[in-house]
Amino acid sequence: ERVARIAAKEKEVAARNCYGFIPEDEIAACAEGMQPGDIVGFVSSVDGLDIAHVGIVDRVNNETTFIHASSTQKKVVENDGAMADYVKGIKKNSGVVIIRPQF
C-alpha cells in the first residue's frame, strides 16, 4: 500500500510544471531577486538525480549566499562566498531552483 501511495505521489509531482530553474551562468544576475529564507536546490546534471543538495538563501555583506549542512565540515555552515561561485565550482551542478515558502 505504501509503495502504491509513493508511486502515485511521484507521478503527481512529475506532472507538475517546473518554473524557476536558473542556469549557473545566470545565477549572479538573478541573485538580487532571491530573499533570505528562500530554499535553494542545487540542480544536478547526473541522470536520475534532480537536486543534489539544498540550502537556505542568505545575504551577507550584500552578497547572496546560503546556509547548508556541509558534508565536509559535518555541520551547518554559512557558505563562504557567492552562491554563483559555489555552483560554478561543482562540475555536476547545472544551476539552481529557488523555492519561496508561502505561510
Side-chain angles (χ1 to χ4, degrees):
E1 178 186 331
R2 287 184 182 154
V3 172
R5 289 174 57 196
I6 291 168
K9 183 55 75 176
E10 286 176 341
K11 186 175 180 179
E12 175 192 324
V13 170
R16 294 178 187 168
N17 289 325
C18 180
Y19 303 101
F21 170 70
I22 303 170
E24 69 177 301
D25 59 344
E26 296 178 23
I27 294 170
C30 295
E32 216 169 285
M34 298 176 198
Q35 296 178 7
D38 288 348
I39 298 168
V40 56
F42 296 94
V43 177
S44 174
S45 60
V46 175
D47 280 343
L49 181 62
D50 297 329
I51 304 294
H53 193 55
V54 296
I56 299 171
V57 174
D58 198 14
R59 190 154 291 137
V60 176
N61 298 327
N62 235 8
E63 181 174 68
T64 302
T65 188
F66 61 98
I67 300 165
H68 68 117
S70 170
S71 58
T72 56
Q73 296 183 48
K74 307 280 190 238
K75 62 182 180 179
V76 175
V77 298
E78 179 97 45
N79 183 60
D80 185 27
M83 182 188 305
D85 294 338
Y86 175 86
V87 174
K88 287 180 182 176
I90 298 180
K91 292 180 189 179
K92 295 181 180 179
N93 280 349
S94 59
V96 299
V97 291
I98 301 297
I99 300 152
R100 182 162 298 145
Q102 302 295 311
F103 298 102

